[in-house]
Amino acid sequence: MKELVAGYFDEWAEAISNPDMVARFKQFQNTADAADNMETEQDTGQWRPVYWPREAAAQDFSTMQGQWSCTAWEPVIETAHFDGADELPNGIPATVKRGDTQLAVWRFRGKYYATRQVCPHKRAFVLSDGLVGHDPTRPCSDDAEHQSAAPASAPWISCPNHKRNFDLVGGSCSSDGSLSIATFSAEPRGDGLLYIKPPPLGELDTGLGTTRWRVRKGESGDSPFAELDKKVQLLGRKSRKVNGIKPAVDGPVNGINRTGSETARPAVMAGCGSAPDW
Ligand code: FES
């Protein structure tokens, strides 16, 4: 125990005092700008991010690519950022900012892909943190070396929050037909830069800007945990001290009552049914 205690150090304190390490935690890989991805609000005297919105952003973003008034190639990031991507199963992502809009960019299996950074399910700015996947029985689209009779398919990005899968080329969602993301053409050039093909700045920000899609205070209505609190009977209860232990709830906890015998388990489920989608 002494050895463990003596060997303890705060790795985050260490990290933020190291400029090289800090540089690896930039919000955007193409600018020192930062953006607030969510508002905060107070709850029982503490600040927390606002709850997710109840409704997903069900607009069809996948057709945007053909609807912009015009598009033009623009450099967004050095391709050196993606060095080594083809040796990694998930490729290498980057988050870039153009005006008020956040975009996610990947190099995966020798190809580049660009999409918006927001997952429309809960309007979370997270897609570049997701896992890139690919149907192993089918060649990647554009994969000329792959000899297969099966039709090609684009890789997908799986949102890290609740695993909605989005096609990196077409933007459709295979796990929820009402959702989609905007995608952009992307290509590397001889000047060492990755180019994408977005619309004019104002048009992009109007359609996909952070200010427009960030979740705002009060959007979620009541706490999504109110129902859960009712089920576990936490609402209105005060913890009380019993033999030095503060029970979180009266009565049975995890199916065991205070005498140690089994009881019916509380009917609480998370992640499905009527429970909050977290
Ligand atoms: S926020 Fe992306 S799947 Fe829920």
Side-chain angles (χ1 to χ4, degrees):
M1 180 59 78
K2 270 186 193 160
E3 198 179 328
L4 283 176
V5 172
Y8 172 79
F9 70 100
D10 182 341
E11 47 199 48
W12 283 107
E14 197 95 335
I16 60 175
S17 63
N18 177 339
D20 289 343
M21 187 72 82
V22 169
R24 293 168 59 185
F25 286 90
K26 278 170 66 179
Q27 187 178 8
F28 302 106
Q29 276 73 57
N30 67 332
T31 172
D33 286 359
D36 282 338
N37 287 342
M38 61 189 72
E39 294 190 351
T40 54
E41 58 191 355
Q42 273 205 315
D43 196 352
T44 58
Q46 293 181 310
W47 288 99
R48 60 157 172 73
V50 291
Y51 290 126
W52 279 323
R54 290 185 186 279
E55 305 299 329
Q59 180 182 330
D60 184 0
F61 297 96
S62 65
T63 54
M64 276 181 143
Q65 188 156 193
Q67 293 172 351
W68 302 117
S69 63
C70 63
T71 55
W73 289 105
E74 279 184 22
V76 285
I77 188 171
E78 293 180 1
T79 52
H81 172 85
F82 304 94
D83 285 353
D86 298 344
E87 284 77 59
L88 299 173
N90 196 39
I92 289 180
T95 315
V96 298
K97 183 169 178 282
R98 180 178 180 272
D100 186 41
T101 301
Q102 301 183 36
L103 302 169
V105 185
W106 294 265
R107 180 177 169 119
F108 176 68
R109 291 172 53 122
K111 303 287 175 193
Y112 289 92
Y113 303 91
T115 72
R116 72 183 305 203
Q117 166 74 338
V118 183
C119 174
H121 177 225
K122 295 295 179 188
R123 287 160 49 201
F125 293 75
V126 293
L127 287 186
S128 63
D129 293 325
L131 289 176
V132 180
H134 176 250
D135 182 345
T137 65
R138 298 168 64 187
C140 255
S141 49
D142 306 330
D143 188 351
E145 290 170 16
H146 200 295
Q147 302 297 317
S148 168
S153 70
W156 63 76
I157 178 65
S158 189
C159 175
N161 284 351
H162 314 103
K163 307 293 178 286
R164 266 62 171 180
N165 296 333
F166 298 95
D167 183 303
L168 281 176
V169 175
S172 61
C173 178
S174 61
S175 29
D176 182 340
S178 69
L179 301 180
S180 61
I181 55 172
T183 58
F184 303 86
S185 302
E187 68 174 36
R189 294 206 180 155
D191 58 4
L193 296 169
L194 176 68
Y195 285 68
I196 66 167
K197 213 175 178 190
L201 197 59
E203 200 175 337
L204 182 71
D205 286 348
T206 302
L208 302 176
T210 303
T211 309
R212 173 169 178 192
W213 292 103
R214 180 170 48 213
V215 183
R216 308 205 172 282
K217 282 178 204 166
E219 266 192 67
S220 315
D222 295 338
S223 161
F225 300 106
E227 202 56 31
L228 192 62
D229 285 345
K230 250 186 252 163
K231 283 183 181 171
V232 294
Q233 301 167 353
L234 281 175
L235 281 188
R237 285 195 181 274
K238 288 190 179 133
S239 58
R240 64 189 166 82
K241 207 168 182 181
V242 179
N243 296 332
I245 298 168
K246 279 187 180 175
V249 294
D250 284 342
V253 176
N254 286 339
I256 308 290
N257 68 18
R258 296 202 187 289
T259 63
S261 59
E262 284 277 341
T263 67
R265 291 179 185 275
V268 177
M269 298 184 69
C272 58
S274 59
D277 193 357
W278 55 5

